[in-house]
Amino acid sequence: MAGPLEGILVVALEQAVAAPFASSRLADAGARVIKLERSEGDFARGYDGFVHGQSSYFVWNNRGKESCTVDLKKPDDLALVERMLERADVFIQNLAAGATHRLGIGSADLRRRFPRLIVCDIVGFASGTPDHDRKAYDLLIQAEAGLAAVTGSVASGATRVGISISDISTGQAAYAAILQALYSREHSVAGSHIELSLFDTIAEYMNVPYLARQYGGSEPPRLGLAHPSIAPYGVFRARDGEILISIQNEREWATFCEGVLGDPALSTDARFATNKERCANRTALDDKVQQIVGPQSVADLVDRLDRLRIAYGRVSTMAQLAAHRSVAKVPVETPAGSADLIAPPTIVDGRRPTLGRVPALGEHDAAIRAEFAPVAVSGQAHGEANAT
């Protein structure tokens, strides 16, 4: 079944995670994505070898693409890419700052030459900022944008989010911005230039702790698996495992005190009567909940929480996620065999997307070079024929 972006050509001069994440989602939606790689390949191909000897990062973010190797220092290869861009709808790139400009395929040049082209630049820090030329990677941005400062616990100190959240979030934002630009082009005919930075993406996500500091006057504490503004909302140790319990309002708090803690009077205790008071007295509150929850089993707690319609989460390992009753998986073909990915979240008309094949390095070189070969000038061809 054709996707909604069938007929859209995307040229992706990309590496690592952020740009490949965006272009893979365009491929999922039916766009044709030509991935331009150096002769040694996108360096994400070598991040690990967990999937039949292939990189988990690469398998996840490069399904449904065609791979073409190019050396942009060679005039013929640069001309090949320019011929691709002449026909393309979208160009995505996340090379080092200024690299495409030096090659003559920077956003300003391309927008002037190809008015319908949508150019998406993914950078570390936005143009015009003092840090634009700095190298910027996911973990560096987590630290620089303040995310690491609010992650972890008092004991652990500042901590990395366990996935490449800066790259993934920026790739998701780029995907949304490109869809927006494609829609806009249907009305205006003109393409556009999109720029997203890893720093801006994560900094914007930090608005709640930023506002708390800016107007509340103190740095948000690191709370581990606990919510900074709601209590009780955190992890508790049961007899045979951990469970994260979330109370959202006073009605739920009263229900929880009676049905799970077995102490209805606790809901009217002056220290815990409102969420504001519970947060102010979080240590005493959590100690009280832990005393009652500790001797119980996770299964008994889950049964009661389900019956009372109180939110909870089991603290899953990757093995438990793989076996989770609600996890959806989809197959993807790779050069080394089929692999199951956790499915993308979007379900349209009851169906999840079918994922395209992950390409081998340079797998489509011959076909793409033939398709985008220079077109013979008609006058020359005519003259040659007359001379014969």
Side-chain angles (χ1 to χ4, degrees), residues 182-235:
L182 286 168
Y183 182 79
S184 176
R185 195 181 67 173
E186 290 299 303
H187 300 278
S188 68
V189 183
S192 52
H193 174 223
I194 300 164
E195 182 184 89
L196 299 101
S197 77
L198 275 66
F199 179 80
D200 285 352
T201 299
I202 297 303
E204 197 271 336
Y205 282 12
M206 297 300 294
N207 260 307
V208 168
Y210 155 77
L211 290 169
R213 171 63 181 84
Q214 194 74 356
Y215 298 100
S218 61
E219 290 287 334
R222 286 188 292 271
L223 297 172
L225 268 178
H227 195 286
S229 307
I230 305 171
Y233 193 158
V235 69

Side-chain angles (χ1 to χ4, degrees), residues 260-263 266 287-296 301:
V260 177
L261 301 182
D263 187 358
L266 201 59
D287 286 347
K288 184 68 174 176
V289 174
Q290 179 59 53
Q291 289 172 16
I292 300 171
V293 164
Q296 303 180 48
L301 285 165

Side-chain angles (χ1 to χ4, degrees), residues 125-177:
F125 295 88
S127 298
T129 65
D131 293 305
H132 178 60
D133 291 336
R134 283 175 59 188
K135 288 186 176 181
Y137 305 129
D138 180 271
L139 182 52
L140 305 179
I141 294 297
Q142 289 194 37
E144 188 95 11
L147 178 58
V150 298
T151 305
S153 65
V154 173
S156 69
T159 303
R160 170 187 179 266
V161 174
I163 58 174
S164 300
I165 191 66
S166 306
D167 288 332
I168 294 167
S169 298
T170 306
Q172 184 68 56
Y175 173 50

Side-chain angles (χ1 to χ4, degrees), residues 251-339:
R251 178 186 53 78
E252 283 190 359
W253 171 236
T255 300
F256 180 70
C257 288
E258 181 174 358
V260 177
L261 301 182
D263 187 358
L266 201 59
S267 65
T268 57
D269 186 312
R271 297 171 299 167
F272 312 134
T274 68
N275 181 65
K276 185 176 179 180
E277 294 300 328
R278 290 194 294 275
C279 287
N281 295 284
R282 185 189 297 272
T283 300
L285 172 70
D286 286 353
D287 286 347
K288 184 68 174 176
V289 174
Q290 179 59 53
Q291 289 172 16
I292 300 171
V293 164
Q296 303 180 48
S297 70
V298 170
D300 287 343
L301 285 165
V302 164
D303 181 62
R304 256 179 293 168
L305 293 167
D306 275 335
R307 282 190 286 106
L308 295 170
R309 300 290 298 160
I310 291 174
Y312 66 90
R314 290 171 284 247
V315 183
S316 297
T317 62
M318 289 306 97
Q320 289 166 331
L321 172 62
H324 199 288
R325 63 189 183 187
S326 292
V327 76
K329 299 177 185 177
V330 289
V332 62
E333 293 302 319
T334 82
S338 182

